[in-house]
Amino acid sequence: METNIAKQEFTITVYTENQVGLLNRIAIIFSRRKLNIDSLNTSPSEVDSIHRFNIVITETEDVIRKVARQLEKQVEVLKVYFNTNEDIIWQELALYKVPTDIIAEKVSVERLLRQYGARAVVIRSDYTVFETTGHREETDALVEVLREYGLIEFVRSARIAIIKASDGFHTKINEFENQQPGEQVFENEYLNNGQKVFTM
Amino acid sequence: MQTLDIKEQPINQVKATLSQNISGSEILLKGLIEEGVETIFGYPGGAIMPIYDALYDYTDKLKHILVRHEQGATHAAQGYARSSGKVGVVFATSGPGATNLITGIADAQIDSTPMVCITGQVFAHLLGTDAFQETDVINITTPITKWNYQVTDAAEIPEVLAKAFYIARTGRPGPVVIDITKNAQIQKVDFEGYIKCDHIRSYRPKPIIRTSYVEQAAALINAAKKPFILFGQGILLGNAEQEFKAFVEKSGIPAAWTILGAGAIPTTHPLNVGMLGMHGNNGPNVLTNECDVLIAIGMRFDDRVTGRLDKYAKQAKVIHLDIDPAEIDKNVKATVPVWGDCKETLPLLTQLVDEKKHDDWLAKFRALNQIEIDELITAELHPQTGELTMGEVIHQLNLLTNGDAIIVTDVGQHQMVACRYAKFNNTRSNITSGGLGTMGFALPAAIGAKFGAQDKTVVAVIGDGGFQMTIQELGTIMQSGINVKIIILNNQFLGMVRQWQELFNDRRYSFVDITSPDFVAVAKGYYIEGQKVSEREKLVDALKAMLNHKGSYLLEVMVTKENNVFPMVPQGCSVSEIRLK
Ligand SMILES: Cc1ncc(C[n+]2csc(CCOP(=O)(O)OP(=O)(O)O)c2C)c(N)n1
């Protein structure tokens, strides 16, 4: 009960057709409920022609479940999963631009890179760009350090996530392409699995 | 080898003759005909002119009804869809034409009405340039459509149209918008025939039925002492009236309706215990909080039905039958969700439930409803003195139509009174704006309803306020010659808002006093017959004159100014806290 009420970070994975306007249709499901999207990424998926959205949002499971159903209801959405952080492997990419002279002069660059798992992408006489990949706390930590050394620009990508327990979408897509959905589709599966899984 | 060649040749020839080089507009019209469309409600303009030009040659197959405002076209298409069960079709031009559709599209979305709206759009090369009459119709309509799509190439039209109809009418129905740029309407492409859509890989109109849940539902029902059925429009949309009746009659369970579910079984059916919700009947509202198993069928627990949610049926196990998985647990947590088309799930359930009678339980509904009859209904339907009441008008209408008319209502007190007291023998005969509560709905919806069910008497019941919102559609009646009966229940107020101001705002009547033109004279101006009555002795004759008149007729009935609709579940109260006065 407790977990249902408490807000936590969820990563929603949405498999969709590649269609103009779909991003808006998905985004308004959140904005209509005045839910703030922490991060949103769209990319190709393991299946040709199928797109995959990763949406990160901090909310109660109850709200997430309702939103997931509204998402899955959209004509061009094939499938929606939502997961807590324990269920997924995720990464975010960050880029940091710093003045080369300060960095070279004042910081032990080598140590910094090792400590934060960063690497230099570009080194010019006027600026240097570092890159890190990791969880938010990790990318954020480096920001704090570099701020002291005249951080010029910082940008972080949306989260991308892989679901630990997923077999991918290859078999599902065959089912979806068939006129008659096959045995594979477990209606109400979420109830059987103690409300852990969302599926239509 | 040779025989093969000979065989192939004629097929190729046939194909060549079948393939035509025609415009996107003509392809669209051919597609509509293939979809079985007969009636279109619309209004022309610059960006949709090529389609209207093509239509000029198709008037023998496609009947186009020219409305007086595009909002009227959407409501007419809704009325048509609701009375006929078919998809309503609307044409409008870009910009203001398209934005005028918004209210009707939103109404169709929330009331699950199948509708396809075709809007003209500026040339593709002008998109995004703030061209004359350009509005971003796709983005404006995204939150209020089941699906929408912008066509910029004529070759897309057959497939998109086929998808549109398939999406609009299957699963939980809803409105679809197709926005077609002008170049695509003009562009000529090879057209090889229209293929209807029967599958979209990303779209599952019907969730698969899980028999284990049907079994669990049946077990709950069979063990129940006080089971109670709530039914909504899902039964009508699923064409499952017979299946529903069989379920109710075998299980012997009392059943109550949402306003969109009215008529799924006749009003007079012995197990029909009345209307749910804010202005519903006493029995079903009070006993919602006493039943042990609540069986909700094709309804979505709207707040006007549930009242305060945290005091709603907390004691009951809830079985929810719905085709839309997003409705399960949305407002009321289901103990057993029976996802699926109720036309299929209901027979499965009927098979498993015990044949029973719940006489004592049913008697409780009757007793509570009897209190309501004694305390308020009798006075509302059979007043002896004083001004006319809305209820007695509906009651007299029932006696004359025998419950066989289609009643189309607008929004307000008269709507609640009409839904409460009108008799419905048949399905698809209560047409009202339920979810959106759109004033101005009734007049155009009645026009559409008549086109969708020409053999039925269609009576629109409208308030003096709402009538003035789409009064211009009298022009549509005049020009199309359609036969609809219009009753204006004139209380000289925006009655429903006034009622709330009286009850909850210390009678501070803030802008609810509305004056009206001489409605009968206005109708006369449109060559529509009519009369006005305010005396009890003249009411029945006036209703008869209206019903017997050969064409459309407007009857204005002056009713009590400050009557309130009761019972009422005040906002924020539980359904069992229903007030009889
Ligand atoms: C388009 C629109 N505007 C405002 C409202 C709010 N509203 C609901 S009922 C009502 C009063 C309706 O008055 P009238 O048409 O005279 O009917 P009555 O309630 O008197 O029967 C109003 C203003 C609405 N439902 N729809």
Side-chain angles (χ1 to χ4, degrees):
Chain A
M1 206 60 214
E2 184 98 326
T3 51
N4 220 24
I5 289 163
K7 286 191 183 185
Q8 60 173 320
E9 213 167 66
F10 282 94
T11 300
I12 303 176
T13 305
V14 188
Y15 284 96
T16 73
E17 298 290 350
N18 180 14
Q19 189 88 62
V20 176
L22 193 55
L23 174 61
N24 186 29
R25 209 171 251 287
I26 286 174
I28 60 177
I29 287 171
F30 294 89
S31 57
R32 175 180 176 191
R33 291 166 181 76
K34 216 158 180 220
L35 300 176
N36 199 21
I37 293 176
D38 295 339
S39 125
L40 184 151
N41 185 77
T42 152
S43 83
S45 73
E46 59 275 18
V47 180
D48 236 11
S49 84
I50 303 283
H51 268 236
R52 178 175 174 147
F53 287 72
N54 267 151
I55 301 165
V56 183
I57 160 167
T58 307
E59 255 307 329
T60 63
E61 184 171 338
D62 198 42
V63 169
I64 297 289
R65 185 182 307 284
K66 285 176 188 171
V67 164
R69 287 193 186 159
Q70 295 294 338
L71 287 169
E72 196 158 88
K73 182 168 156 175
Q74 304 309 313
V75 170
E76 275 132 357
V77 171
L78 290 113
K79 203 92 195 86
V80 177
Y81 301 94
F82 61 87
N83 298 95
T84 57
N85 289 347
E86 296 86 73
D87 304 336
I88 56 167
I89 292 154
W90 84 93
Q91 296 279 275
E92 289 169 354
L93 175 78
L95 296 176
Y96 315 75
K97 190 204 269 181
V98 280
T100 302
D101 49 356
I102 303 183
I103 269 291
E105 199 176 298
K106 296 197 180 155
V107 191
S108 164
V109 176
E110 198 200 326
R111 224 191 90 219
L112 197 69
L113 296 187
R114 231 181 309 115
Q115 192 180 341
Y116 291 94
R119 88 191 165 87
V121 187
V122 169
I123 304 169
R124 295 179 18 155
S125 57
D126 48 348
Y127 64 79
T128 296
V129 175
F130 295 128
E131 175 224 292
T132 61
T133 313
H135 288 188
R136 180 156 308 177
E137 311 82 77
E138 295 158 358
T139 51
D140 275 356
L142 186 54
V143 177
E144 290 315 311
V145 175
L146 293 178
R147 253 192 235 294
E148 289 165 32
Y149 303 110
L151 180 66
I152 303 168
E153 261 191 69
F154 166 69
V155 62
R156 182 173 49 223
S157 76
R159 169 185 297 191
I160 54 170
I162 292 272
I163 304 168
K164 289 179 187 166
S166 168
D167 298 329
F169 210 63
H170 304 283
T171 44
K172 273 259 179 280
I173 193 67
N174 290 331
E175 232 174 72
F176 276 88
E177 271 163 0
N178 285 332
Q179 299 277 117
Q180 288 301 318
E183 294 285 312
Q184 281 277 5
V185 187
F186 296 122
E187 306 306 328
N188 302 350
E189 188 179 10
Y190 80 97
L191 278 177
N192 293 350
N193 288 308
Q195 314 217 334
K196 285 217 176 65
V197 181
F198 177 80
T199 185
M200 190 182 121
Chain B
M1 265 330 262
Q2 211 166 359
T3 45
L4 248 181
D5 280 343
I6 290 165
K7 252 187 153 179
E8 253 171 23
Q9 215 152 3
I11 292 170
N12 286 341
Q13 273 171 16
V14 172
K15 236 190 162 181
T17 50
L18 269 183
S19 156
Q20 299 163 277
N21 192 256
I22 55 174
S23 72
S25 299
E26 217 181 329
I27 294 174
L28 177 80
L29 300 183
K30 284 183 184 296
L32 291 175
I33 292 164
E34 290 286 324
E35 290 291 348
V37 174
E38 287 162 358
T39 312
I40 298 161
F41 302 92
Y43 209 94
I48 197 170
M49 279 187 64
I51 290 173
Y52 271 86
D53 184 58
L55 189 59
Y56 193 76
D57 294 326
Y58 279 79
T59 46
D60 54 331
K61 295 201 183 75
L62 293 167
K63 191 185 193 85
H64 178 276
I65 306 302
L66 181 70
V67 293
R68 291 299 180 271
H69 183 291
E70 290 86 350
Q71 181 186 350
T74 54
H75 296 328
Q78 290 181 277
Y80 177 88
R82 300 264 286 266
S83 74
S84 70
K86 293 166 65 177
V87 179
V89 179
V90 173
F91 280 1
T93 192
S94 68
T99 56
N100 276 349
L101 302 180
I102 300 302
T103 305
I105 296 172
D107 196 293
Q109 170 85 344
I110 201 162
D111 278 351
S112 310
T113 309
M115 178 161 86
V116 171
C117 298
I118 312 282
T119 51
Q121 181 56 281
V122 301
F123 284 90
H125 71 269
L126 294 176
L127 286 171
T129 65
D130 302 323
F132 178 64
Q133 293 193 329
E134 185 198 359
T135 34
D136 185 351
V137 172
I138 294 299
N139 278 310
I140 291 177
T141 58
T142 296
I144 51 168
T145 48
K146 187 171 173 189
W147 187 68
N148 59 9
Y149 190 86
Q150 185 174 64
V151 171
T152 50
D153 187 316
E156 297 177 289
I157 291 176
E159 198 193 323
V160 170
L161 190 69
K163 264 178 98 169
F165 274 85
Y166 177 62
I167 292 166
R169 70 164 181 264
T170 54
R172 180 177 179 174
V176 168
V177 168
I178 307 178
D179 192 39
I180 309 180
T181 56
K182 201 168 176 180
N183 57 293
Q185 298 170 34
I186 299 165
Q187 182 193 356
K188 288 196 170 178
V189 290
D190 287 339
F191 175 59
E192 296 190 348
Y194 185 82
I195 303 164
K196 279 198 181 185
C197 176
D198 64 356
H199 177 70
I200 297 171
R201 76 170 175 186
S202 58
Y203 169 61
R204 316 214 130 189
K206 287 184 199 176
I208 293 178
I209 298 160
R210 263 276 197 110
T211 42
S212 61
Y213 287 100
V214 178
E215 284 157 13
Q216 285 178 27
L220 277 181
I221 293 169
N222 288 338
K225 297 264 176 313
K226 300 175 183 177
F228 180 29
I229 295 170
L230 317 179
F231 63 97
Q233 195 192 198
I235 307 217
L236 278 61
L237 294 171
N239 298 313
E241 293 88 350
Q242 288 312 317
E243 290 80 359
F244 178 59
K245 189 159 171 262
F247 171 67
V248 171
E249 288 178 351
K250 184 175 180 197
S251 65
I253 301 173
W257 40 277
T258 71
I259 61 171
L260 293 190
I265 51 171
T267 316
T268 48
H269 191 284
L271 289 168
N272 186 336
V273 292
M275 173 170 149
L276 292 164
M278 188 174 268
H279 294 291
N281 295 115
N282 196 31
N285 274 311
V286 170
L287 297 178
T288 295
N289 280 355
E290 215 172 285
C291 66
D292 54 2
V293 174
L294 196 67
I295 307 142
I297 307 173
M299 58 85 75
R300 60 185 176 82
F301 293 107
D302 179 79
D303 56 276
R304 285 295 193 266
V305 162
T306 63
R308 201 173 149 166
L309 261 184
D310 60 1
K311 290 190 182 170
Y312 183 79
K314 285 295 170 200
Q315 78 295 343
K317 298 239 161 51
V318 177
I319 299 167
H320 195 173
L321 284 75
D322 208 287
I323 199 165
D324 180 359
E327 288 302 338
I328 308 288
D329 294 347
K330 188 183 82 179
N331 297 330
V332 172
K333 196 116 183 102
T335 318
V336 179
V338 184
W339 290 351
D341 184 342
C342 62
K343 189 158 181 89
E344 294 162 21
T345 52
L346 278 172
L348 295 174
L349 201 52
T350 306
Q351 243 178 13
L352 298 179
V353 297
D354 299 337
E355 193 160 346
K356 263 195 194 161
K357 289 211 175 351
H358 292 278
D359 288 335
D360 292 348
W361 173 230
L362 191 60
K364 279 198 149 189
F365 285 88
R366 298 240 172 81
L368 285 164
N369 284 348
Q370 189 59 45
I371 296 172
E372 183 184 342
I373 292 170
D374 297 342
E375 288 196 16
L376 65 94
I377 295 180
T378 305
E380 177 70 32
L381 301 193
H382 311 282
Q384 302 302 321
T385 56
E387 289 161 304
L388 288 169
T389 66
M390 290 185 179
E392 75 178 309
V393 179
I394 303 299
H395 175 66
Q396 293 301 336
L397 181 69
N398 282 338
L399 296 178
L400 295 171
T401 62
N402 289 318
D404 284 329
I406 292 180
I407 309 289
V408 186
T409 58
D410 213 73
V411 172
Q413 291 185 312
H414 65 279
Q415 174 191 34
M416 292 299 119
V417 169
C419 288
R420 282 175 55 79
Y421 300 118
K423 257 176 51 185
F424 301 110
N425 293 341
N426 310 304
T427 184
R428 298 191 173 279
S429 46
N430 180 32
I431 297 177
T432 193
S433 169
L436 204 64
T438 306
M439 284 173 71
F441 174 84
L443 185 62
I447 296 169
K450 181 69 182 181
F451 276 108
Q454 307 245 14
D455 55 332
K456 288 279 174 71
T457 300
V458 174
V459 183
V461 179
I462 318 182
D464 45 318
F467 188 65
Q468 294 185 66
M469 282 212 176
T470 47
I471 194 167
Q472 71 279 356
E473 298 307 333
L474 289 173
T476 308
I477 294 176
M478 170 182 69
Q479 190 168 358
S480 66
I482 195 79
N483 177 1
V484 294
K485 314 299 184 190
I486 304 158
I487 299 177
I488 299 175
L489 296 177
N490 189 345
N491 55 8
Q492 302 166 63
F493 269 120
L494 296 174
M496 186 57 93
V497 181
R498 185 209 55 75
Q499 172 169 346
W500 283 50
Q501 290 178 347
E502 176 187 334
L503 298 176
F504 312 117
N505 294 355
D506 299 327
R507 292 182 71 108
R508 287 153 56 88
Y509 287 170
S510 182
F511 301 100
V512 288
D513 190 339
I514 186 166
T515 55
S516 293
D518 180 339
F519 289 126
V520 176
V522 170
K524 285 244 155 67
Y526 284 99
Y527 306 100
I528 294 166
E529 282 293 317
Q531 65 168 309
K532 170 172 167 172
V533 283
S534 39
E535 298 98 346
R536 182 153 293 118
E537 313 77 62
K538 293 188 181 155
L539 175 65
V540 175
D541 282 345
L543 285 165
K544 280 185 184 158
M546 174 189 84
L547 292 168
N548 294 334
H549 185 73
K550 278 220 294 294
S552 287
Y553 195 95
L554 182 144
L555 175 63
E556 179 184 5
V557 185
M558 301 305 291
V559 295
T560 334
K561 280 188 79 171
E562 294 185 61
N563 222 0
N564 289 335
V565 186
F566 279 110
M568 181 171 194
V569 179
Q571 209 165 31
C573 291
S574 162
V575 281
S576 49
E577 293 167 327
I578 187 167
R579 287 170 56 176
L580 293 184
K581 52 172 108 89

